[in-house]
Amino acid sequence: MNALYPLRFRPALRHYLWGGTRLEALGKKYEADSCAESWEVVDRHDEQSVVAAGPLEGRTLNELVRDSGPELLGKHAPRDRFPLLFKFLDARERLSIQVHPDDARAALLDPPDSGKSEAWVVLDVEPHSYLYAGLRRGIDADLLRRELARRTIELCCERIEPRVGECFYLPAGVIHAIGPGVLAAEIQQSSDTTYRLYDYDRRGPDGKPRELQVEPALEAIDYEYGPVSAQRPRPTDTPGVERLVECEYFVLDRWQVSGTHSVPKDDCCHILAVVGGQLEIPGDASGEPLTRGGVVLLPAARGKLDVRAAPGTIVLDAYLP
């Protein structure tokens, strides 16, 4: 097994009916008319990130977890699979109103899965853009069922007009939907279990109504959580680095840096995603700097690493707590 180095993967593109065309601005190439999501780091059964360059080119992320778990994951080894999923998504149209199960509910599925807590960072919006995030205050299960039967469930959801740069944390069990015109980065638990509660009577590519999972969704909702608001970034001890989210599943920081910036030796792997500017990473087998939309996985065994950022570079840094 070759020694690990900063790893770039081939994006796994997902085409859904709500997708747009702005992933091209993040360097994603596709032949279809639109693209909804670009999965940058994923280890889920037959959906695998594949190393794009260097001696490990062609190896899957799960193979790296299996064969080099301590070097890749450090203090978070051993694991059966990589526990996080990082993606970009472009919503030309609104997504379904949905919810994800927590760990306990997901473990009962066949096959078992993890729950899905997630965080969004807004990269671009259009004038009509909005999000639904959490139930409005005073909404209980009975009222939600009544409005769902009336096809007015949107009245139960907290509606937000997002701004570029805002971050929203959605724990498992919180009802939500990304509205039209939103381009976002997302970090989440490595789960793809989604319960659609309402989908505006849309039909899929086969002409049939898209499948809903109403009862599992209603059972999975956390009715006590209430409305979601944008995270308040918190300063850290590192200049130019602010904390967006810290939960039991992941930490998400944002760098706003220029020149040399040190990634500490912390025995953790890090997902770095450039959302503005340019970043040079020593040992990157591609030989090219990361530009907007570029993502790299730094293995835990890297030691202290000094990267170099062009003026005004913005980087999302996701890692295990």
Side-chain angles (χ1 to χ4, degrees):
M1 187 68 182
N2 292 285
L4 298 187
Y5 50 88
L7 298 163
R8 295 207 204 190
F9 299 104
R10 303 170 192 164
L13 303 179
R14 310 289 289 238
H15 300 274
Y16 304 129
L17 58 82
W18 48 263
T21 59
R22 287 177 296 173
L23 291 180
E24 292 179 338
L26 298 179
K28 314 308 167 188
K29 298 180 180 180
Y30 49 89
E31 296 181 357
D33 293 335
S34 65
C35 185
E37 297 183 348
S38 178
W39 291 16
E40 303 289 326
V41 179
V42 57
D43 174 7
R44 281 192 54 77
H45 312 298
D46 58 350
E47 189 69 76
Q48 287 289 320
S49 287
V50 177
V51 179
L56 296 171
E57 182 175 357
R59 299 296 298 270
T60 68
L61 180 53
N62 187 257
E63 289 173 337
L64 300 181
V65 171
R66 181 193 66 200
D67 297 337
S68 300
E71 292 80 10
L72 179 66
L73 295 164
K75 65 185 180 182
H76 298 103
R79 301 266 180 160
D80 293 332
R81 61 187 176 111
F82 195 79
L84 300 178
L85 192 159
F86 184 87
K87 68 173 73 166
F88 296 110
L89 56 89
D90 176 21
R92 178 176 56 193
E93 301 179 13
R94 56 192 174 181
L95 278 67
S96 61
I97 295 178
Q98 59 190 244
V99 68
H100 307 298
D102 59 18
D103 287 343
R105 292 183 182 278
L108 300 176
L109 298 173
D110 185 18
D113 202 357
S114 68
K116 187 181 176 187
S117 293
E118 63 191 76
W120 308 326
V121 177
V122 179
L123 304 182
D124 192 20
V125 294
E126 296 176 355
H128 61 286
S129 297
Y130 61 84
L131 306 170
Y132 289 129
L135 293 173
R136 297 173 60 192
R137 300 193 186 283
I139 303 297
D140 59 18
D142 290 339
L143 183 53
L144 186 66
R145 282 183 180 273
R146 186 161 63 247
E147 296 303 327
L148 180 60
R150 294 173 176 171
R151 301 180 183 273
T152 53
I153 189 175
E154 299 104 311
L155 299 176
C156 298
C157 302
E158 184 76 359
R159 180 175 168 133
I160 299 167
E161 295 182 2
R163 300 176 183 177
V164 172
E166 286 185 324
C167 176
F168 298 89
Y169 173 55
L170 290 302
V174 172
I175 192 170
H176 62 272
I178 292 179
V182 177
L183 179 69
E186 180 178 315
I187 183 68
Q188 59 167 86
Q189 291 177 265
S190 186
S191 169
D192 198 30
T193 301
T194 297
Y195 297 145
R196 292 194 196 111
L197 190 60
Y198 184 63
D199 197 36
Y200 314 98
D201 299 321
R202 285 189 292 199
R203 296 180 180 271
D206 59 1
K208 299 179 181 180
R210 296 221 296 170
E211 184 180 359
L212 302 177
Q213 298 83 29
V214 173
E215 288 305 319
L218 291 171
E219 293 173 2
I221 291 172
D222 181 351
Y223 293 94
E224 302 298 322
Y225 194 86
V228 172
S229 58
Q231 296 287 108
R232 293 185 178 181
R234 296 184 287 113
T236 68
D237 294 335
T238 304
V241 177
E242 57 186 0
R243 180 70 37 85
L244 298 180
V245 179
E246 186 171 8
C247 67
E248 62 181 302
Y249 301 109
F250 54 81
V251 178
L252 180 63
D253 292 342
R254 178 165 54 203
W255 308 352
Q256 299 184 66
V257 293
S258 301
T260 301
H261 179 78
S262 295
V263 185
K265 180 180 179 180
D266 56 4
D267 204 24
C268 293
C269 62
H270 288 249
I271 300 171
L272 303 184
V274 176
V275 296
Q278 182 173 290
L279 192 68
E280 297 179 12
I281 301 177
D284 182 351
S286 73
E288 299 289 338
L290 282 176
T291 55
R292 189 169 190 251
V295 178
V296 67
L297 178 60
L298 302 181
R302 72 191 178 279
K304 178 177 174 290
L305 186 67
D306 290 333
V307 300
R308 185 163 184 81
T313 293
I314 302 174
V315 179
L316 300 178
D317 177 11
Y319 52 98
L320 297 169

